[in-house]
C-alpha cells in the first residue's frame, strides 16, 4: 500500500477546498463591489434613505446575487428596483409583483378613476418603465398576485416583501395567504423569502400591531409566513430603529419619507428617522 499517496489525499482535498473557498470569496467581493457601485451611482434623493434602509446589507442578508432571479413585491416608487434591476440585469432576472386588484378598494377607500385606470394596466406600464432603469438580458416582467405566470414556477431564487405585508392584513388575510402561496410556488426549493416590515413595539395589540397603522408584530409575521410552508432561518437588526417608539394611534406614515401629518410634529418625526423594521429571512424547504 502506498502510504505516501494515502497521506497526500487529505492534503489534496484540503487544497481543493481552499481553492474553492478562495474563488467563492473572490466572487463575493466582486459582487459586493458591483452592488456598491450601483448604490453609489443613484440620485442624492435615493441615497438619503440608505441610512435607514441599508440596501447593501439587506440584499446581502437575503442572498441576492447578480445571477439571481428576484421577485420584488410592490415596487411602488421603484426605490429598490433602481438597485436590484441593474444588479441582476446581465446574468439574472428581475420580476415585479403587485397586490391583487381586489385589494385596492380596501386599502385605498376612495381611489380616483385615474388611479384605478393606472392600476388596471400596471403590469404593462411597470415593465415598460423599467427599461429606463437598466437594459436587461431578459425582458422585465410583472404580475399581480392571483395571476402569477406558470412559466416562473420553481424558477425564482428570491422573493422580497419589503414594507409590503401590512396591507395584506389591512385588506383581510385571504389576500396575504394567496400572495404567499404564489411566492411558494414560484420559488425554487431552498429559495429565499425576504421580509422587511415595520415592527410594532413588544406587547402592542390591535391596530398598533395588526397592520392597520402599518406596524405588525414579529410573531404575527412569522406565523403568517410559516403557515404558508416557509421556515424562518435567520433574523437581522440591520433595519432596526430604536428611536421609533409609536404611541397608541400613531401610524407608520407620520415618519419620513411620507410625513403624512404635514407640518404637525414634522421636526420631531424627522429626528426619529424612518420606522423600526424587522428583517427576516425565510426559506422554502428543499423537499
Amino acid at each position: 500500500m502506498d502510504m505516501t499517496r494515502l497521506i497526500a489525499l487529505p492534503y489534496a482535498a484540503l487544497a481543493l477546498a481552499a481553492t474553492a473557498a478562495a474563488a467563492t470569496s473572490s466572487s463575493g467581493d466582486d459582487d459586493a463591489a458591483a452592488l456598491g457601485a450601483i448604490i453609489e451611482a443613484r440620485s442624492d434623493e435615493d441615497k438619503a434613505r440608505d441610512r435607514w434602509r441599508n440596501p447593501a446589507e439587506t440584499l446581502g442578508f437575503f442572498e441576492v446575487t447578480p445571477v439571481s432571479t428576484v421577485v420584488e413585491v410592490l415596487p411602488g416608487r421603484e426605490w429598490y428596483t433602481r438597485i436590484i434591476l441593474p444588479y441582476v440585469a446581465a446574468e439574472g432576472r428581475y420580476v415585479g409583483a403587485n397586490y391583487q386588484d381586489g385589494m385596492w378598494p380596501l386599502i385605498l377607500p376612495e381611489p380616483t378613476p385615474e388611479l384605478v385606470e393606472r392600476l388596471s394596466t400596471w403590469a404593462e406600464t411597470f415593465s415598460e418603465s423599467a427599461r429606463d432603469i437598466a437594459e436587461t438580458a431578459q425582458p422585465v416582467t410583472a404580475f399581480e398576485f392571483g395571476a402569477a405566470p406558470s412559466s416562473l414556477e420553481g424558477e425564482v431564487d428570491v422573493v422580497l416583501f419589503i414594507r409590503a405585508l401590512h396591507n395584506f392584513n389591512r385588506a383581510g388575510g385571504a389576500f396575504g395567504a394567496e400572495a404567499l402561496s404564489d411566492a411558494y410556488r414560484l420559488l425554487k426549493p431552498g429559495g429565499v423569502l425576504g421580509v422587511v416590515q415595520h415592527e410594532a413595539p413588544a406587547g402592542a395589540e390591535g391596530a398598533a400591531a395588526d397592520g392597520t397603522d402599518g406596524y405588525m408584530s414579529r410573531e404575527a409575521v412569522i406565523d403568517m409566513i410559516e403557515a404558508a410552508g416557509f421556515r424562518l432561518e435567520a433574523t437581522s437588526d440591520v433595519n432596526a430603529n430604536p428611536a421609533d417608539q409609536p404611541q397608541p394611534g400613531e401610524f407608520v406614515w407620520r415618519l419620513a419619507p411620507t410625513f403624512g401629518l404635514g407640518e404637525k410634529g414634522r421636526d420631531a418625526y424627522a429626528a426619529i428617522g424612518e420606522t423600526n423594521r424587522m428583517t427576516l429571512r425565510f426559506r422554502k424547504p428543499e423537499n
Side-chain angles (χ1 to χ4, degrees):
M1 181 180 293
D2 187 345
M3 297 301 295
T4 303
R5 184 170 182 271
L6 285 176
I7 293 170
L9 281 173
Y11 288 97
L14 286 171
L16 286 172
T19 301
T24 300
S25 176
S26 175
S27 175
D29 290 344
D30 290 346
D31 292 351
L35 181 58
I38 290 167
I39 290 171
E40 181 57 31
R42 293 168 307 143
S43 69
D44 289 341
E45 181 180 5
D46 273 8
K47 288 189 287 187
R49 307 265 67 83
D50 288 355
R51 63 179 296 200
W52 308 112
R53 301 182 178 184
N54 306 290
E57 297 87 346
T58 300
L59 294 177
F61 181 68
F62 293 146
E63 301 179 0
V64 177
T65 74
V67 299
S68 297
T69 294
V70 181
V71 173
E72 182 190 2
V73 178
L74 197 67
R77 294 185 176 91
E78 301 177 351
W79 190 91
Y80 254 109
T81 312
R82 286 189 285 274
I83 300 171
I84 300 169
L85 178 53
Y87 189 47
V88 303
E91 300 176 84
R93 185 176 181 185
Y94 176 93
V95 182
N98 210 351
Y99 296 146
Q100 300 93 322
D101 279 344
M103 275 185 60
W104 295 108
L106 300 174
I107 62 176
L108 300 174
E110 296 182 4
T112 64
E114 293 79 13
L115 179 59
V116 171
E117 172 63 23
R118 191 165 79 234
L119 291 171
S120 70
T121 60
W122 175 83
E124 293 79 14
T125 56
F126 177 77
S127 298
E128 292 171 1
S129 69
R131 296 174 186 169
D132 295 330
I133 297 174
E135 294 184 8
T136 65
Q138 298 190 57
V140 172
T141 56
F143 67 89
E144 293 163 354
F145 285 116
S150 58
S151 60
L152 282 176
E153 289 187 12
E155 297 295 322
V156 174
D157 297 292
V158 184
V159 177
L160 299 175
F161 284 82
I162 298 180
R163 305 184 308 279
L165 285 175
H166 53 281
N167 283 325
F168 287 112
N169 265 26
R170 292 174 64 209
F175 290 105
E178 182 177 50
L180 290 170
S181 176
D182 280 350
Y184 193 92
R185 286 190 301 104
L186 298 186
L187 279 167
K188 300 173 180 177
V192 168
L193 186 142
V195 171
V196 177
Q197 178 58 45
H198 314 290
E199 182 167 7
E205 298 178 340
D210 67 4
T212 302
D213 293 338
Y215 294 99
M216 294 184 69
S217 74
R218 182 176 292 230
E219 294 77 9
V221 170
I222 293 172
D223 289 348
M224 175 184 183
I225 296 175
E226 288 191 335
F230 295 96
R231 296 174 182 166
L232 177 65
E233 180 177 75
T235 67
S236 172
D237 292 330
V238 66
N239 295 306
N241 179 9
D244 177 26
Q245 295 292 328
Q247 301 304 303
E250 288 192 322
F251 51 55
V252 159
W253 305 281
R254 77 195 190 285
L255 298 178
T258 308
F259 293 115
L261 295 176
E263 293 304 312
K264 181 180 178 182
R266 185 182 179 107
D267 289 346
Y269 292 141
I272 291 171
E274 296 194 13
T275 56
N276 180 48
R277 293 161 186 165
M278 65 185 92
T279 304
L280 313 174
R281 186 174 73 229
F282 296 83
R283 199 171 295 277
K284 178 178 177 177
E286 291 279 0
N287 49 46

